[in-house]
Amino acid sequence: MAAVTYELIKKDSKSKARRGRVHTPHGSIETPVFMPVGTAATVKAMRPDEVKEMGAQIILSNTYHLYLRPGHEIVREAGGLHKFMNWDRAILTDSGGFQVFSLGDLRKITEEGVEFRSHIDGSKHMLSPEKSIEVQNALGSDIIMAFDECAPYPADRGYVKNSLERTTRWLKRCKEANKNEDFQSLFGIMQGGMYQDLRYQSAMEIVDLDLPGYAIGGLSVGEPKDIMYEVLDYCVDYLPADKPRYLMGVGSPDYLFEGVERGVDMFDCVLPTRIARNGTAMTSRGRVVIKNAAHERDFTALDPECDCYTCRNYSKAYLRHLFKSNEILSSMLLTNHNLHFLINLMSNMRKAIEEDRFLEFKREFYNKYGKF
Ligand SMILES: Nc1cc(N)c2c(=O)[nH][nH]c(=O)c2c1
């Protein structure tokens, strides 16, 4: 039996939204769930106890970054990523493929894997399905992602078909490389671009490998919203209902609502932490760009409906002052708020599904949030 299993608790009667639970060796995860990104073994500007206190059940870390620095062998010697970063709940690691592919000219794709030069010191490396699994095994994460190619957008049909078929061959190699692992569950990744028949082909090929969970890749790569939603309208249903479904790289409130409404269980995105460091907050009334002059003498909280540490203790005026003064505390407080906002949003979505009022909740949120 896989170390990661999925339990369906309730389906919404008026949409494909579903309430579930993912069981992992480091605890159960109530779904739908948003996963904060901890790229280099830290959720930037946050202590792990703060991330835990706000209710984060699982975080994501990046294989590419940890392989290059400090190196997966050092993390293995430290006792694994949980011990190294003092996080005792679940961890998902990505395969490193997405970062390597985004290196552009600094990489060369072959059937073996991807040759690339480190963005840190220019040194040459080869990341292959086997190497990605070796690194993720050393990190000791609960959920490990298959080494895949995320086709760019736009991409012609021939390229997308060849790419998804190579991704399936790489997935088989990942499964073989991970076969002796008892505690780390390998998730496959569906590709296929914006082509329905290729999405179906990719899904059938990866589901045939009977893995503990599946991700939808190749979206949130610059395509228009309506195209993403159109692809999600059909491709989520290509995945088995008794396994977790994970939409990669998605994390703004509207995308989360639209993904949950279509049956997605898990999400990750750097957006909340990245925009926080750039001075933007997600609130129930829409985004707040804290450096705007309008906030100079605004002594009210960021969000009247938020009970996070930042909203309970600080005003927009103070947060604007910190940001304009380039104070480290600005990133800390805005990151704390943005993660709390999304984690709380997912908790409210779970409650709405339990009470069979998900679409009503979505309408209420959209009416208050205004323009996305
Ligand atoms: N938007 C996306 C974000 C991601 N981190 C990934 C990924 O890690 N793998 N494959 C993907 O297709 C992908 C898409």
Side-chain angles (χ1 to χ4, degrees):
M1 172 134 138
V4 163
T5 57
Y6 178 74
E7 175 190 358
L8 176 63
I9 294 170
K10 186 172 185 303
K11 254 193 69 31
D12 182 57
S13 66
K14 299 183 275 303
S15 76
K16 296 178 186 174
R18 62 189 206 157
R19 171 79 170 81
R21 188 168 292 132
V22 177
H23 299 279
T24 82
H26 281 88
S28 296
I29 300 156
E30 304 303 320
T31 61
V33 65
F34 175 78
M35 301 183 278
V37 174
T39 295
T42 162
V43 177
K44 288 181 172 35
M46 300 289 297
R47 291 193 330 238
D49 59 311
E50 295 170 320
V51 179
K52 184 185 278 191
E53 185 188 345
M54 66 173 63
Q57 305 173 77
I58 176 172
I59 61 168
L60 182 146
S61 264
N62 292 122
T63 294
Y64 167 81
H65 294 280
L66 294 171
Y67 162 70
L68 288 178
R69 187 169 53 190
H72 59 294
E73 289 306 341
I74 286 178
V75 178
R76 189 204 305 272
E77 287 166 34
L81 200 46
H82 289 87
K83 185 141 176 42
F84 192 51
M85 68 183 289
N86 186 30
W87 176 258
D88 62 4
R89 292 183 175 177
I91 298 175
L92 181 149
T93 45
D94 65 5
S95 71
F98 189 71
Q99 281 73 27
V100 165
F101 282 109
S102 60
L103 287 174
D105 299 339
L106 288 178
R107 48 95 170 140
K108 182 172 161 250
I109 308 173
T110 65
E111 184 65 23
E112 172 59 18
V114 184
E115 285 179 15
F116 68 95
R117 286 192 180 279
S118 161
H119 73 287
I120 298 171
D121 60 12
S123 54
K124 264 183 100 168
H125 299 267
M126 157 64 84
L127 197 53
S128 65
E130 292 79 10
K131 187 65 179 179
S132 175
I133 297 302
E134 176 201 331
V135 174
Q136 295 184 77
N137 288 163
L139 299 176
S141 42
D142 301 274
I143 298 173
I144 64 176
M145 299 308 297
F147 187 71
D148 68 325
E149 181 188 1
C150 173
Y153 176 82
D156 70 49
R157 190 191 151 73
Y159 182 90
V160 171
K161 181 171 172 60
N162 289 334
S163 172
L164 84 83
E165 290 170 351
R166 180 170 51 214
T167 284
T168 300
R169 294 193 295 273
W170 282 353
L171 175 59
K172 289 173 180 170
R173 288 166 54 186
C174 288
K175 185 178 180 181
E176 177 61 22
N178 195 52
K179 68 183 179 187
N180 297 324
E181 258 307 321
D182 294 332
F183 295 100
Q184 294 183 281
S185 296
L186 174 68
F187 278 23
I189 302 175
M190 181 211 291
Q191 291 294 344
M194 313 304 155
Y195 302 95
Q196 183 165 4
D197 61 330
L198 298 185
R199 282 280 171 184
Y200 185 76
Q201 177 187 343
S202 176
M204 292 308 106
E205 290 176 357
I206 66 176
V207 170
D208 192 42
L209 297 175
D210 189 25
L211 296 169
Y214 297 95
I216 298 165
L219 291 178
S220 191
V221 289
E223 75 281 5
K225 277 187 187 181
D226 59 333
I227 291 185
M228 176 200 266
Y229 297 160
E230 183 188 313
V231 173
L232 287 175
D233 279 341
Y234 56 75
C235 79
V236 177
D237 294 331
Y238 294 162
L239 298 175
D242 63 344
K243 306 282 178 68
R245 299 153 169 173
Y246 162 27
L247 178 54
M248 306 183 90
V250 162
S252 57
D254 49 341
Y255 281 119
L256 292 170
F257 268 109
E258 300 298 333
V260 170
E261 186 175 341
R262 291 163 174 82
V264 175
D265 306 304
M266 300 169 69
F267 304 85
D268 88 275
C269 194
V270 294
L271 187 74
T273 41
R274 182 172 292 169
I275 65 173
R277 296 193 299 277
N278 296 326
T280 298
M282 296 174 168
T283 80
S284 56
R285 302 298 193 275
R287 286 193 178 193
V288 170
V289 178
I290 202 64
K291 67 183 178 189
N292 289 352
H295 306 309
E296 187 176 27
R297 286 180 166 78
D298 183 336
F299 302 107
T300 64
L302 262 184
D303 188 338
E305 295 186 13
C306 182
D307 65 349
C308 80
Y309 171 77
T310 302
C311 289
R312 283 185 283 111
N313 293 287
Y314 302 98
S315 68
K316 295 188 191 75
Y318 178 69
L319 294 168
R320 179 177 184 272
H321 157 66
L322 290 180
F323 182 76
K324 293 195 56 83
S325 311
N326 202 23
E327 285 293 340
I328 295 169
L329 187 58
S330 172
S331 293
M332 293 164 68
L333 294 176
L334 290 177
T335 300
N336 191 309
H337 168 78
N338 280 357
L339 287 180
H340 181 99
F341 177 81
L342 285 189
I343 288 167
N344 192 52
L345 177 61
M346 300 313 286
S347 173
N348 288 332
M349 283 196 211
R350 295 194 293 268
K351 284 193 198 88
I353 297 169
E354 288 163 9
E355 297 162 6
D356 211 34
R357 56 177 187 79
F358 175 76
L359 292 178
E360 293 86 330
F361 175 60
K362 176 187 166 188
R363 259 191 300 280
E364 288 160 17
F365 183 92
Y366 277 43
N367 288 341
K368 278 190 296 186
Y369 195 87
K371 185 179 176 305
F372 283 106

